[in-house]
Amino acid sequence: MESYLKQQQLCDVILIVGNRKIPAHRLVLSSVSDYFAAMFTSDVCEAKQEEIKMEGIDPNALWDLVQFAYTGCLELKEDTIENLLAAACLLQLPQVVEVCCHFLMKLLHPSNCLGIRAFADAQGCIELMKVAHSYTMEKEQIKTLNNKFASFIYKVQFLEQQNKMLETKWSLLQQQKTARSNMDNMFESYINNLRRQLESLGQEKLKLEAELGNMQGLVEDFKNKYEDEINKRTEMENEFVLIKKDVDEVYMNKVELESRLEGLTDEINFLRQLYEEEILELQSQVSDKSVVLSMPSFSSAGGSSSFSHTNAVVVKKIEARDGKLVSESSDVLPK
């Protein structure tokens, strides 16, 4: 099959990548790549096309993979391994992917471990990503330990310098002549000073204890006053609740009385209007009766007195009824 590829005999498909055309056989490509097998055995348009345009793949990487399909051999280089692995992941060549991942694992270095981990994550190579991540974490730990070791070395150097300075000072002190010192007098004066400070602190303690007693008495008084105020407040709140309850009852009575007053006012207005109409009607009846009953046999003085008497009786009845209504309304109205 390799000779058929080199001589381009019986080739039934041409892969176009950029400006490069790569002839091949569908059967050979399908036998090693699930990607090509799905393409050539399905109902997509590429299954019947003689020329298939490939996108997102490096031309040299595709040619190397086509040669691998015919020969089973693959040359791995550091500068082309990423393009080759990306093309193998796209064309679904698990053997090539595995070989490329192992090759990249051997190339792991502190300078490229982060890039390889990101590339493996982008291509979905889980094992390579885990190895690169572990390598990265190990390198970070080594870097941290190196930093700590460098700091320890710096501290040791600093301590050595301090030790040399102390040795120099000690040698200078040994060379100087020892003179008689007044250490006893200095300690006695220092002890006397401490005793005076102790006495002053004792006096201040007694003063503070007296002030503490006074303050405790004041606190107790304020506490009692506070409790009294709390009790008064509780009593006032209870009294306020009772007063509010009485006010609510008075307000409800007021509302009820106002409603009754409104009803009685309407009734009074109605009765007043009825009264006025009855007065008018009675006046009209009296006038009609006076016209009908005025006879020549009676004297004018007798007729006038009879009419006045009748009118007075009617007026008294109406006034009595109105007085009764007014007294009822005055009993209902709030004072």
Side-chain angles (χ1 to χ4, degrees), residues 57 78 98-99 108 122 164-165 226 256 274 279 309 333:
I57 192 170
E78 186 176 352
E98 184 178 358
V99 172
L108 282 172
K164 291 180 180 180
M165 292 175 62
Y226 176 74
E256 183 179 359
L274 181 62
I279 289 294
H309 177 71
L333 290 174

Side-chain angles (χ1 to χ4, degrees), residues 26-201:
R26 295 175 186 266
L27 181 60
V28 176
L29 297 179
S30 300
S31 63
V32 297
S33 172
D34 294 337
Y35 178 84
F36 286 119
M39 178 187 293
F40 297 145
T41 58
S42 61
D43 294 334
V44 297
C45 60
E46 287 84 355
K48 300 178 181 179
Q49 293 179 353
E50 294 182 359
E51 294 184 352
I52 299 174
K53 190 173 183 180
M54 306 292 292
E55 300 288 346
I57 192 170
D58 184 71
N60 296 326
L62 181 60
W63 172 245
D64 291 339
L65 292 177
V66 170
Q67 285 186 330
F68 171 77
Y70 284 89
T71 62
C73 297
L74 190 63
E75 183 180 2
L76 301 179
K77 296 181 181 180
E78 186 176 352
D79 55 347
T80 61
I81 187 63
E82 292 186 358
N83 293 330
L84 191 62
L85 178 57
C89 291
L90 177 63
L91 300 179
Q92 300 179 12
L93 296 171
Q95 295 178 353
V96 179
V97 172
E98 184 178 358
V99 172
C100 292
C101 288
H102 284 292
F103 184 79
L104 285 174
M105 290 176 188
K106 295 178 181 179
L107 296 178
L108 282 172
H109 189 266
S111 61
N112 62 8
C113 58
L114 294 176
I116 292 176
R117 184 179 65 178
F119 177 74
D121 188 17
Q123 299 299 326
C125 301
I126 305 300
E127 185 178 358
L128 177 60
M129 185 183 67
K130 289 181 179 179
V131 173
H133 180 71
S134 300
Y135 185 85
T136 303
M137 297 304 296
E138 290 177 359
K139 295 304 176 183
E140 290 294 333
Q141 292 177 358
I142 293 173
K143 185 177 179 181
T144 303
L145 292 175
N146 289 333
N147 293 332
K148 289 183 178 180
F149 183 70
S151 64
F152 289 151
I153 292 175
Y154 176 76
K155 290 180 180 179
V156 170
Q157 292 176 353
F158 178 75
L159 291 174
E160 288 178 353
Q161 294 177 358
Q162 294 291 327
N163 190 18
K164 291 180 180 180
M165 292 175 62
L166 292 174
E167 288 178 355
T168 304
K169 290 181 179 180
W170 176 248
S171 62
L172 291 174
L173 290 174
Q174 284 181 344
Q175 292 175 1
Q176 293 178 358
K177 295 180 179 180
T178 58
R180 186 176 180 180
S181 61
N182 297 322
M183 296 294 292
D184 294 337
N185 296 329
M186 184 181 68
F187 278 116
E188 287 180 1
S189 62
Y190 183 71
I191 291 171
N192 293 328
N193 187 17
L194 290 177
R195 287 175 179 174
R196 287 193 297 270
Q197 292 181 2
L198 181 62
E199 291 176 358
S200 62
L201 290 174

Side-chain angles (χ1 to χ4, degrees), residues 233-287:
R233 178 182 176 183
T234 304
E235 294 176 359
M236 294 301 294
E237 287 179 352
N238 296 330
E239 186 177 356
F240 173 76
V241 171
L242 296 175
I243 293 173
K244 187 175 182 298
K245 184 177 180 180
D246 296 337
V247 170
D248 292 338
E249 292 178 356
V250 171
Y251 178 76
M252 295 301 295
N253 293 331
K254 178 184 176 182
V255 172
E256 183 179 359
L257 292 175
E258 286 178 351
S259 61
R260 291 178 61 186
L261 175 61
E262 185 177 356
L264 291 174
T265 303
D266 294 337
E267 185 177 358
I268 289 172
N269 293 330
F270 173 73
L271 293 175
R272 183 179 288 110
Q273 185 177 1
L274 181 62
Y275 167 73
E276 291 175 355
E277 292 179 357
E278 288 181 355
I279 289 294
L280 295 174
E281 185 179 357
L282 288 174
Q283 288 178 355
S284 63
Q285 290 178 3
V286 169
S287 62

